[in-house]
Amino acid sequence: MSAIRGRVRGLPEWDRCAVMGVVNVTPDSFSDGGRWFDTEAAIKRGLDLLAQGADLVDVGGESTRPGATRVDEPEEIRRVLPVVRALAAEGAVVSVDTMRASVAERAVRAGARLVNDVSGGRADPAMVPVVAAEGVPFVVMHWRGQSADMNDRAVYRRVVPEVLAELRQSLDAAVAGGIDPESLIVDPGLGFAKTAPHDLELIAGLGQLHALGRPLLVAASRKRFLGTVLADADGTPPPARDRDAATAAITTLAAHAGAWAVRVHEVAASADAVRVVRAVRDQRGVSDPPPAPGAG
Ligand code: PMM
């Protein structure tokens, strides 16, 4: 079992894999679109997730499901800012999920402590300078292009080394742009320009992503590959909301592999899972037999 989780400058340190709860203030996210679209409902959702054991909440106003078209900037700001402001005022560690530098900047000034950019700084050239200037931690996710046509980019000869190499380029660009290397987090971007077998291979190879030297965020919650795994005999996947037990299974695997955090829609089961993994890790070795005489 890997103990690697790592420390992110500017964020609290948890003694186990952290749980990031998702608050999608969108009408059209694949997993929960429309449920928390109203500002008050979104704030309440964030508070509920914290009560269920979330360590951070990730607030987003733009759906990135495959085929999605982009929301315009004023609308994204309208969706995200009041929710970020209210949850930060309640003392939550808030992350803003955005590809726009302007949204990131305003969210940080409203109290967000982490910028989660699914494009890893590739979508908006102003993102890295803004994050560097604000001095907040930054999630660099593996990304090959906007959601409208990202499935066409799901072409790899060997997915793990290619994702690793492309993430390294994004990390280098972030550091070259002035972001503190100690405040960077990496994310393999499950489901983004990836097929189900690609996602599964990345999960099997999570340990290899530690070669990047930065804490790892894993966001598998309710994603398509889980639908594929759980599909019935006709190949029909269960709806997204029926994939939470499978999500908790991935949380266990990710925590076991040394992930820094998981990003999930339903927090309770994952909050339990990360605590179980910590307890098993803490217990390891307690009843190991003493080394044989002369061993070692
Ligand atoms: N996936 C979604 C949205 N934001 N952020 C990170 N860091 N990693 C992800 O894989 C990711 C993300 C997909 O949409 P959802 O909010 O419905 O899960």
Coordinates of all heavy atoms in Angstrom, one line a residue, residues 22 24 29-32 58 64-65 97 116-118 139 141 187 189-190 192 217 219-221 223 263 265, ligand 1:
V22 N -18.7 17.5 -4.8 CA -19.0 18.3 -6.1 C -20.3 19.0 -5.9 O -21.4 18.5 -5.6 CB -19.2 17.3 -7.3 CG1 -19.5 18.1 -8.5 CG2 -17.9 16.5 -7.5
N24 N -22.3 21.1 -8.6 CA -22.5 21.5 -10.0 C -23.6 22.5 -10.1 O -24.8 22.1 -10.0 CB -22.7 20.3 -10.9 CG -21.4 19.6 -11.3 OD1 -20.3 20.2 -11.3 ND2 -21.5 18.3 -11.4
S29 N -25.1 19.0 -16.3 CA -24.0 18.1 -16.1 C -24.5 16.6 -16.2 O -25.7 16.4 -15.9 CB -23.4 18.3 -14.7 OG -22.6 19.4 -14.6
F30 N -23.6 15.7 -16.7 CA -24.1 14.4 -17.0 C -24.6 13.7 -15.7 O -25.5 12.9 -15.8 CB -23.0 13.5 -17.6 CG -22.0 13.0 -16.6 CD1 -22.1 11.7 -16.1 CD2 -21.0 13.8 -16.2 CE1 -21.2 11.2 -15.2 CE2 -20.0 13.3 -15.3 CZ -20.1 12.1 -14.8
S31 N -24.0 14.0 -14.6 CA -24.2 13.2 -13.4 C -25.4 13.8 -12.5 O -26.0 13.0 -11.8 CB -23.0 13.2 -12.6 OG -22.5 14.6 -12.4
D32 N -25.6 15.1 -12.5 CA -26.5 15.7 -11.6 C -27.1 17.0 -12.1 O -27.5 17.8 -11.4 CB -25.9 15.9 -10.2 CG -24.6 16.8 -10.3 OD1 -24.2 17.1 -11.4 OD2 -24.0 17.0 -9.3
D58 N -16.2 21.5 -4.3 CA -15.7 22.0 -5.6 C -17.0 22.6 -6.3 O -17.9 21.8 -6.7 CB -15.2 20.8 -6.4 CG -14.5 21.2 -7.7 OD1 -13.8 22.2 -7.8 OD2 -14.6 20.4 -8.7
T64 N -18.9 19.8 -18.4 CA -17.9 19.4 -19.3 C -18.2 18.0 -19.9 O -17.3 17.3 -20.3 CB -16.5 19.4 -18.6 OG1 -16.7 18.7 -17.4 CG2 -16.0 20.8 -18.3
R65 N -19.4 17.6 -19.8 CA -19.8 16.3 -20.3 C -19.5 16.3 -21.8 O -19.5 17.3 -22.5 CB -21.2 16.0 -20.1 CG -22.2 16.7 -20.9 CD -23.6 16.4 -20.6 NE -24.4 17.6 -20.9 CZ -24.7 18.0 -22.2 NH1 -24.3 17.3 -23.2 NH2 -25.4 19.1 -22.4
D97 N -14.3 25.2 -9.9 CA -14.0 24.3 -11.1 C -14.3 25.2 -12.3 O -15.5 25.4 -12.7 CB -15.0 23.1 -11.0 CG -14.8 22.1 -12.1 OD1 -14.1 22.4 -13.1 OD2 -15.3 21.0 -12.0
N116 N -9.5 24.6 -9.8 CA -9.6 23.3 -10.4 C -9.9 23.5 -11.9 O -11.1 23.8 -12.2 CB -10.6 22.5 -9.7 CG -10.9 21.1 -10.4 OD1 -10.0 20.6 -11.1 ND2 -12.1 20.6 -10.3
D117 N -8.9 23.5 -12.7 CA -9.1 23.8 -14.2 C -9.0 22.4 -14.9 O -7.9 21.9 -15.0 CB -8.0 24.7 -14.6 CG -8.1 25.1 -16.1 OD1 -8.9 24.5 -16.8 OD2 -7.2 25.9 -16.5
V118 N -10.1 21.9 -15.5 CA -10.0 20.6 -16.2 C -9.1 20.7 -17.4 O -8.6 19.7 -17.9 CB -11.4 20.1 -16.6 CG1 -12.3 19.8 -15.4 CG2 -12.1 21.0 -17.6
V139 N -5.2 22.8 -9.7 CA -5.3 21.4 -10.2 C -5.0 21.4 -11.7 O -5.7 22.1 -12.5 CB -6.7 20.8 -10.0 CG1 -6.8 19.4 -10.6 CG2 -7.1 20.8 -8.5
M141 N -5.3 19.1 -14.6 CA -5.9 17.9 -15.1 C -5.4 17.5 -16.5 O -5.1 18.5 -17.3 CB -7.4 18.0 -15.1 CG -8.1 16.7 -15.2 SD -9.9 16.8 -15.5 CE -9.9 16.9 -17.3
D187 N -4.1 15.4 -11.9 CA -5.3 14.7 -12.1 C -5.3 14.0 -13.5 O -5.1 14.7 -14.5 CB -6.5 15.7 -11.9 CG -7.9 15.0 -12.1 OD1 -8.0 14.0 -12.7 OD2 -8.9 15.6 -11.6
G189 N -7.7 13.0 -15.3 CA -8.7 13.4 -16.2 C -9.6 12.3 -16.7 O -9.8 12.1 -17.9
L190 N -10.0 11.4 -15.8 CA -10.8 10.3 -16.2 C -12.0 10.7 -17.1 O -12.7 11.6 -16.7 CB -11.3 9.5 -15.0 CG -10.1 8.9 -14.1 CD1 -10.7 8.4 -12.8 CD2 -9.3 7.9 -14.9
F192 N -12.1 12.2 -19.9 CA -11.8 13.3 -20.8 C -10.9 12.8 -21.9 O -9.7 12.6 -21.6 CB -11.1 14.5 -20.0 CG -12.0 15.3 -19.1 CD1 -12.4 14.8 -17.9 CD2 -12.6 16.5 -19.5 CE1 -13.3 15.5 -17.1 CE2 -13.4 17.2 -18.7 CZ -13.8 16.7 -17.5
L217 N -5.2 13.9 -7.5 CA -6.6 14.0 -7.4 C -7.3 13.0 -8.4 O -6.9 13.0 -9.5 CB -7.1 15.4 -7.7 CG -8.6 15.7 -7.7 CD1 -9.3 15.4 -6.4 CD2 -8.9 17.1 -8.2
A219 N -10.9 11.7 -10.0 CA -12.3 12.1 -10.1 C -13.0 11.1 -11.0 O -13.2 11.4 -12.2 CB -12.4 13.6 -10.6
A220 N -13.4 10.0 -10.4 CA -14.1 9.0 -11.1 C -15.6 9.0 -11.0 O -16.3 8.3 -11.7 CB -13.6 7.6 -10.6
S221 N -16.1 9.9 -10.1 CA -17.5 9.8 -9.6 C -18.5 9.7 -10.8 O -18.6 10.6 -11.6 CB -17.8 11.0 -8.8 OG -19.0 10.9 -8.1
K223 N -18.8 8.3 -13.5 CA -18.4 8.5 -14.9 C -18.8 7.3 -15.8 O -19.1 6.2 -15.3 CB -16.9 8.8 -15.0 CG -16.7 10.3 -14.6 CD -15.4 10.9 -14.9 CE -15.4 12.4 -14.6 NZ -14.1 12.9 -14.4
R263 N -12.7 13.2 -5.9 CA -13.7 14.2 -6.1 C -15.0 13.4 -6.4 O -15.1 12.6 -7.4 CB -13.3 15.1 -7.3 CG -14.4 16.1 -7.8 CD -13.8 16.8 -9.0 NE -14.8 17.7 -9.5 CZ -15.9 17.4 -10.3 NH1 -16.1 16.2 -10.6 NH2 -16.7 18.4 -10.7
H265 N -19.6 13.0 -6.1 CA -20.9 13.6 -6.0 C -21.6 13.3 -4.6 O -22.3 14.1 -4.1 CB -21.8 13.2 -7.1 CG -21.2 13.7 -8.4 ND1 -20.4 12.9 -9.2 CD2 -21.4 14.8 -9.2 CE1 -20.0 13.5 -10.3 NE2 -20.6 14.7 -10.3
Ligands
PMM1 N1 -14.6 15.9 -14.1 C1 -15.6 16.7 -14.2 C2 -15.7 18.0 -13.7 N2 -14.6 18.5 -13.1 N3 -12.4 18.2 -12.2 C3 -11.3 17.5 -12.1 N4 -10.2 18.0 -11.4 N5 -11.3 16.2 -12.6 C4 -12.3 15.6 -13.2 O1 -12.1 14.5 -13.7 C5 -13.5 16.4 -13.4 C6 -13.5 17.7 -12.9 C7 -16.8 16.1 -14.9 O2 -18.1 16.5 -14.6 P1 -18.8 16.2 -13.1 O3 -18.7 17.4 -12.4 O4 -20.3 15.9 -13.5 O5 -18.1 15.0 -12.5

